[in-house]
Amino acid sequence: MASEHHMDRAKIERGVRLMLEGMGEDPDREGLVDTPARVARAMEEVCGGAAVDVDGLFSVTFDAGCHDIVVVRDIPFYSLCEHHLLPFFGRAHIAYIPGPDGRVCGISKLARVVDAYARRPQLQERLCAQVADAVVGHLDPMGVVVVMEAEHLCMTMRGVRKPGAMTSTSAVRGGFAASSTTRAEAMSLIFDGTHVR
C-alpha cells in the first residue's frame, strides 16, 4: 500500500526561520537567507522514508529453493533522533531463513527497507523492530535477526558528549528466537562471517 505522507516545505521553511530568530540570528543575513529553503529540501531527502511503499519492495520474490540462512551485513544507514532531530548513523545487519517454500527477495530490497524506516525521525530500537517485522510480514521466513549499530550525535555533540560511543540493538523473530544454536549461528555470520561449529 502506497504511503500518503506529504511534506509541507513552506511550513518547514517558516519553522527554520523562527528557529534561527530564536537562536538570536538574523535569518536575512547573507549566509542564512537561503538556509530555510535548503533545510526544507534536505528534510525532504533525509526524512523521505515515510513516503516509500514498503509493500512494493517485496512485491517480487524468487524461488531459490533456499532453506539456509541468508545474511546481508554492513548496510549503511542514517536517521534522525526523534528527541533532538540530530543524526544517528551506522550499519544494519539482517539474517533470515526463508520459509518452507524457499523463496527469497532480492538482497537490495533488504537495504531499501532499512532506508525506508531509517529516513524519518526515529528511535533506533523502533527502527530495528520495524525492519524485522517488515521482513517477517512480507517474506514469512522461518526466522529473522536484525542487528543495528549506530553512533548518535545527540550523545556525541551534546549532553554526555561521548564521541565514538556505539548503541547496538537487535530484533529476533521466529526460529532464531526459539533456538539459541540457530541464533548463535546467525550472530556469528553477522559479526565474523563464519559458521558456529
Side-chain angles (χ1 to χ4, degrees), residues 4-56:
E4 297 300 319
H5 187 265
H6 171 73
M7 287 199 198
D8 187 329
R9 192 183 288 184
K11 274 189 182 176
I12 296 171
E13 289 184 28
R14 288 195 304 271
V16 172
R17 184 176 178 86
L18 198 59
M19 185 176 71
L20 290 169
E21 289 172 356
M23 294 165 58
E25 288 284 355
D26 173 8
D28 293 317
R29 73 174 170 85
E30 184 180 1
L32 294 176
V33 71
D34 292 325
T35 295
R38 288 187 187 109
V39 171
R41 289 192 302 271
M43 288 300 104
E44 283 184 323
E45 185 175 346
V46 172
C47 294
V52 174
D53 176 12
V54 173
D55 294 340

Side-chain angles (χ1 to χ4, degrees), residues 132-163:
D133 292 340
V135 175
V136 168
H138 291 90
L139 293 182
D140 196 23
M142 300 295 288
V144 175
V145 174
V146 176
V147 176
M148 292 188 162
E149 305 167 292
E151 181 171 356
H152 292 246
L153 293 191
C154 57
M155 193 170 161
T156 296
M157 297 173 62
R158 56 158 300 282
V160 70
R161 292 193 181 110
K162 296 296 179 192

Side-chain angles (χ1 to χ4, degrees), residues 22-183:
M23 294 165 58
E25 288 284 355
D26 173 8
D28 293 317
R29 73 174 170 85
E30 184 180 1
L32 294 176
V33 71
D34 292 325
T35 295
R38 288 187 187 109
V39 171
R41 289 192 302 271
M43 288 300 104
E44 283 184 323
E45 185 175 346
V46 172
C47 294
V52 174
D53 176 12
V54 173
D55 294 340
L57 296 177
F58 293 98
S59 61
V60 175
T61 59
F62 305 97
D63 182 2
C66 180
H67 301 288
D68 296 307
I69 299 174
V70 177
V71 179
V72 179
R73 299 186 311 171
D74 297 319
I75 301 166
F77 74 89
Y78 58 86
S79 190
L80 284 183
C81 161
E82 68 181 35
H83 295 154
H84 303 98
L85 295 184
L86 289 172
F88 67 94
F89 55 92
R91 298 195 174 269
H93 318 283
I94 301 172
Y96 75 99
I97 301 173
D101 61 4
R103 295 189 74 81
V104 299
C105 67
I107 56 175
S108 69
K109 301 307 185 279
L110 298 175
R112 289 180 191 276
V113 78
V114 170
D115 282 347
Y117 287 114
R119 291 177 48 222
R120 60 185 77 188
Q122 261 298 8
L123 295 175
Q124 184 176 333
E125 297 87 344
R126 181 194 304 126
L127 170 59
C128 199
Q130 286 174 326
V131 171
D133 292 340
V135 175
V136 168
H138 291 90
L139 293 182
D140 196 23
M142 300 295 288
V144 175
V145 174
V146 176
V147 176
M148 292 188 162
E149 305 167 292
E151 181 171 356
H152 292 246
L153 293 191
C154 57
M155 193 170 161
T156 296
M157 297 173 62
R158 56 158 300 282
V160 70
R161 292 193 181 110
K162 296 296 179 192
M166 299 295 287
T167 298
S168 296
T169 53
S170 66
V172 182
R173 306 287 188 265
F176 288 123
S179 167
S180 58
T181 301
T182 307
R183 184 169 56 253

